[in-house]
């Protein structure tokens, strides 16, 4: 009889492990990734835009998020805290942005606490 129960436990363990292989992955184990930016990396921008935005695969936390703009001389421009709309963080286009290579430095925290950061460079050719 003891052998019978031991066999059932082994079969039950195998079945449980098999179910775990086919169970859907929860969103908590997924990673938030950068999907796009506006302007995009290496883009040539001929005129000022409405905003600068960073879009992710899922909404980041707005607390602690930052978008910092550096002009072609490396000067940090005064930028407000970003706003969150869906999965996009954005700031208004800087009024004092001068032509040249512009660097967007950004930081965001995913819902799972993972901190993301990077930078994107584009070329601003004219202020209308």
């Amino acid at each position: 009889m003891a052998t019978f129960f031991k066999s059932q436990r082994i079969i039950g363990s195998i079945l449980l492990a098999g179910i775990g292989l086919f169970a859907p992955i929860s969103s908590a184990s997924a990673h938030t990734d950068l999907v796009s930016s506006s302007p995009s990396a290496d883009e040539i921008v001929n005129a000022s835009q409405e905003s600068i935005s960073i879009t992710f695969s899922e909404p980041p936390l707005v607390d602690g998020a930052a978008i910092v703009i550096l002009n072609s001389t490396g000067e940090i421009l005064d930028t407000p805290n970003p706003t969150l709309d869906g999965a996009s963080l954005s700031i208004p286009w800087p009024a004092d942005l001068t032509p040249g290579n512009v660097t967007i430095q950004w930081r965001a925290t995913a819902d799972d606490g993972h901190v993301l950061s990077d930078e994107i460079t584009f070329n601003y050719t004219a202020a209308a």
Side-chain angles (χ1 to χ4, degrees):
M1 187 94 162
T3 306
F4 175 74
F5 288 119
K6 187 175 180 181
S7 297
Q8 280 189 330
R9 274 189 263 144
I10 291 172
I11 292 170
S13 296
I14 292 170
L15 288 174
L16 188 59
I19 290 170
L21 289 175
F22 297 105
I25 296 172
S26 72
S27 62
S29 66
H31 290 287
T32 301
D33 295 313
L34 176 69
V35 173
S36 65
S37 67
S38 179
S40 60
D42 302 321
E43 182 176 350
I44 297 173
V45 179
N46 297 319
S48 62
Q49 309 292 306
E50 184 177 321
S51 64
I52 291 175
S53 65
I54 309 293
T55 302
F56 301 92
S57 57
E58 58 185 49
L61 302 175
V62 74
D63 290 338
I67 297 176
V68 176
I69 307 301
L70 288 81
N71 65 16
S72 60
T73 63
E75 178 184 2
I76 296 173
L77 303 182
D78 187 29
T79 54
N81 290 330
T83 57
L84 180 64
D85 182 14
S88 296
L89 291 170
S90 65
I91 60 169
W93 186 269
D96 55 348
L97 188 60
T98 56
N101 285 328
V102 178
T103 302
I104 304 167
Q105 294 179 339
W106 58 267
R107 180 185 69 236
T109 304
D111 195 29
D112 65 1
H114 184 82
V115 177
L116 308 158
S117 64
D118 204 350
E119 64 180 38
I120 297 163
T121 302
F122 67 94
N123 189 355
Y124 183 50
T125 60

